[in-house]
PDB file of all heavy atoms in Angstrom:
ATOM      1  N   GLN X1250       3.983  16.801  11.596  1.00  0.00           N
ATOM      2  CA  GLN X1250       4.236  16.603  13.019  1.00  0.00           C
ATOM      3  C   GLN X1250       5.081  17.758  13.592  1.00  0.00           C
ATOM      4  O   GLN X1250       4.795  18.252  14.657  1.00  0.00           O
ATOM      5  CB  GLN X1250       4.929  15.275  13.254  1.00  0.00           C
ATOM      6  CG  GLN X1250       5.232  14.987  14.701  1.00  0.00           C
ATOM      7  CD  GLN X1250       6.008  13.712  14.894  1.00  0.00           C
ATOM      8  OE1 GLN X1250       6.863  13.382  14.081  1.00  0.00           O
ATOM      9  NE2 GLN X1250       5.690  12.995  15.939  1.00  0.00           N
ATOM     10  N   GLN X1251       6.148  18.110  12.859  1.00  0.00           N
ATOM     11  CA  GLN X1251       7.022  19.177  13.350  1.00  0.00           C
ATOM     12  C   GLN X1251       6.260  20.518  13.457  1.00  0.00           C
ATOM     13  O   GLN X1251       6.498  21.299  14.370  1.00  0.00           O
ATOM     14  CB  GLN X1251       8.217  19.336  12.414  1.00  0.00           C
ATOM     15  CG  GLN X1251       9.194  18.161  12.441  1.00  0.00           C
ATOM     16  CD  GLN X1251       9.885  18.084  13.764  1.00  0.00           C
ATOM     17  OE1 GLN X1251      10.586  18.993  14.184  1.00  0.00           O
ATOM     18  NE2 GLN X1251       9.691  16.956  14.465  1.00  0.00           N
ATOM     19  N   ILE X1252       5.338  20.752  12.535  1.00  0.00           N
ATOM     20  CA  ILE X1252       4.524  21.981  12.571  1.00  0.00           C
ATOM     21  C   ILE X1252       3.596  21.914  13.791  1.00  0.00           C
ATOM     22  O   ILE X1252       3.463  22.907  14.532  1.00  0.00           O
ATOM     23  CB  ILE X1252       3.725  22.145  11.264  1.00  0.00           C
ATOM     24  CG1 ILE X1252       4.701  22.447  10.113  1.00  0.00           C
ATOM     25  CG2 ILE X1252       2.693  23.266  11.370  1.00  0.00           C
ATOM     26  CD1 ILE X1252       4.086  22.367   8.733  1.00  0.00           C
ATOM     27  N   MET X1253       2.962  20.763  14.008  1.00  0.00           N
ATOM     28  CA  MET X1253       2.043  20.638  15.162  1.00  0.00           C
ATOM     29  C   MET X1253       2.775  20.811  16.495  1.00  0.00           C
ATOM     30  O   MET X1253       2.215  21.299  17.453  1.00  0.00           O
ATOM     31  CB  MET X1253       1.322  19.284  15.101  1.00  0.00           C
ATOM     32  CG  MET X1253       0.246  19.244  14.044  1.00  0.00           C
ATOM     33  SD  MET X1253      -0.733  17.747  14.104  1.00  0.00           S
ATOM     34  CE  MET X1253       0.170  16.710  12.979  1.00  0.00           C
ATOM     35  N   LEU X1254       4.053  20.408  16.513  1.00  0.00           N
ATOM     36  CA  LEU X1254       4.849  20.561  17.741  1.00  0.00           C
ATOM     37  C   LEU X1254       5.410  21.957  17.914  1.00  0.00           C
ATOM     38  O   LEU X1254       6.013  22.274  18.925  1.00  0.00           O
ATOM     39  CB  LEU X1254       5.987  19.528  17.744  1.00  0.00           C
ATOM     40  CG  LEU X1254       5.579  18.073  17.905  1.00  0.00           C
ATOM     41  CD1 LEU X1254       6.788  17.160  17.694  1.00  0.00           C
ATOM     42  CD2 LEU X1254       4.928  17.823  19.228  1.00  0.00           C
ATOM     43  N   GLY X1255       5.269  22.802  16.888  1.00  0.00           N
ATOM     44  CA  GLY X1255       5.763  24.165  16.942  1.00  0.00           C
ATOM     45  C   GLY X1255       7.241  24.307  16.620  1.00  0.00           C
ATOM     46  O   GLY X1255       7.817  25.347  16.847  1.00  0.00           O
ATOM     47  N   LYS X1256       7.826  23.246  16.089  1.00  0.00           N
ATOM     48  CA  LYS X1256       9.259  23.291  15.759  1.00  0.00           C
ATOM     49  C   LYS X1256       9.538  23.845  14.364  1.00  0.00           C
ATOM     50  O   LYS X1256      10.639  24.302  14.110  1.00  0.00           O
ATOM     51  CB  LYS X1256       9.857  21.883  15.889  1.00  0.00           C
ATOM     52  CG  LYS X1256       9.823  21.396  17.336  1.00  0.00           C
ATOM     53  CD  LYS X1256      10.435  20.030  17.460  1.00  0.00           C
ATOM     54  CE  LYS X1256      10.315  19.574  18.904  1.00  0.00           C
ATOM     55  NZ  LYS X1256      11.589  19.458  19.544  1.00  0.00           N
ATOM     56  N   LYS X1257       8.551  23.765  13.501  1.00  0.00           N
ATOM     57  CA  LYS X1257       8.660  24.294  12.121  1.00  0.00           C
ATOM     58  C   LYS X1257       7.398  25.047  11.795  1.00  0.00           C
ATOM     59  O   LYS X1257       6.378  24.923  12.474  1.00  0.00           O
ATOM     60  CB  LYS X1257       8.826  23.150  11.106  1.00  0.00           C
ATOM     61  CG  LYS X1257      10.040  22.275  11.298  1.00  0.00           C
ATOM     62  CD  LYS X1257      11.295  22.939  10.857  1.00  0.00           C
ATOM     63  CE  LYS X1257      12.470  22.008  10.991  1.00  0.00           C
ATOM     64  NZ  LYS X1257      13.717  22.651  10.741  1.00  0.00           N
ATOM     65  N   THR X1258       7.443  25.849  10.736  1.00  0.00           N
ATOM     66  CA  THR X1258       6.259  26.553  10.272  1.00  0.00           C
ATOM     67  C   THR X1258       5.892  26.046   8.877  1.00  0.00           C
ATOM     68  O   THR X1258       6.743  25.482   8.164  1.00  0.00           O
ATOM     69  CB  THR X1258       6.494  28.069  10.181  1.00  0.00           C
ATOM     70  OG1 THR X1258       7.495  28.333   9.199  1.00  0.00           O
ATOM     71  CG2 THR X1258       6.923  28.639  11.543  1.00  0.00           C
ATOM     72  N   PHE X1259       4.652  26.281   8.478  1.00  0.00           N
ATOM     73  CA  PHE X1259       4.221  25.850   7.164  1.00  0.00           C
ATOM     74  C   PHE X1259       5.017  26.534   6.066  1.00  0.00           C
ATOM     75  O   PHE X1259       5.255  25.932   5.018  1.00  0.00           O
ATOM     76  CB  PHE X1259       2.724  26.092   6.983  1.00  0.00           C
ATOM     77  CG  PHE X1259       2.165  25.495   5.732  1.00  0.00           C
ATOM     78  CD1 PHE X1259       1.956  24.127   5.619  1.00  0.00           C
ATOM     79  CD2 PHE X1259       1.844  26.285   4.658  1.00  0.00           C
ATOM     80  CE1 PHE X1259       1.472  23.563   4.459  1.00  0.00           C
ATOM     81  CE2 PHE X1259       1.321  25.759   3.500  1.00  0.00           C
ATOM     82  CZ  PHE X1259       1.136  24.375   3.403  1.00  0.00           C
ATOM     83  N   ALA X1260       5.441  27.732   6.305  1.00  0.00           N
ATOM     84  CA  ALA X1260       6.236  28.467   5.298  1.00  0.00           C
ATOM     85  C   ALA X1260       7.575  27.777   5.024  1.00  0.00           C
ATOM     86  O   ALA X1260       8.153  27.962   3.956  1.00  0.00           O
ATOM     87  CB  ALA X1260       6.477  29.890   5.778  1.00  0.00           C
ATOM     88  N   GLN X1261       8.061  26.984   5.962  1.00  0.00           N
ATOM     89  CA  GLN X1261       9.356  26.292   5.775  1.00  0.00           C
ATOM     90  C   GLN X1261       9.213  24.996   4.995  1.00  0.00           C
ATOM     91  O   GLN X1261      10.211  24.415   4.577  1.00  0.00           O
ATOM     92  CB  GLN X1261       9.948  25.971   7.155  1.00  0.00           C
ATOM     93  CG  GLN X1261      10.374  27.196   7.930  1.00  0.00           C
ATOM     94  CD  GLN X1261      10.832  26.840   9.322  1.00  0.00           C
ATOM     95  OE1 GLN X1261      10.065  26.281  10.101  1.00  0.00           O
ATOM     96  NE2 GLN X1261      12.089  27.138   9.618  1.00  0.00           N
ATOM     97  N   VAL X1262       7.999  24.517   4.782  1.00  0.00           N
ATOM     98  CA  VAL X1262       7.767  23.250   4.075  1.00  0.00           C
ATOM     99  C   VAL X1262       8.214  23.382   2.621  1.00  0.00           C
ATOM    100  O   VAL X1262       7.852  24.362   1.966  1.00  0.00           O
ATOM    101  CB  VAL X1262       6.257  22.844   4.158  1.00  0.00           C
ATOM    102  CG1 VAL X1262       6.003  21.596   3.336  1.00  0.00           C
ATOM    103  CG2 VAL X1262       5.829  22.672   5.590  1.00  0.00           C
ATOM    104  N   PRO X1263       8.950  22.379   2.105  1.00  0.00           N
ATOM    105  CA  PRO X1263       9.330  22.407   0.697  1.00  0.00           C
ATOM    106  C   PRO X1263       8.075  22.466  -0.202  1.00  0.00           C
ATOM    107  O   PRO X1263       7.060  21.848   0.118  1.00  0.00           O
ATOM    108  CB  PRO X1263      10.063  21.080   0.459  1.00  0.00           C
ATOM    109  CG  PRO X1263      10.570  20.720   1.835  1.00  0.00           C
ATOM    110  CD  PRO X1263       9.519  21.235   2.790  1.00  0.00           C
TER     111      PRO X1263
END
Side-chain angles (χ1 to χ4, degrees):
Q1250 180 184 36
Q1251 292 293 299
I1252 292 168
M1253 286 187 268
L1254 291 172
K1256 295 181 182 246
K1257 300 285 183 188
T1258 65
F1259 188 74
Q1261 294 174 300
V1262 176

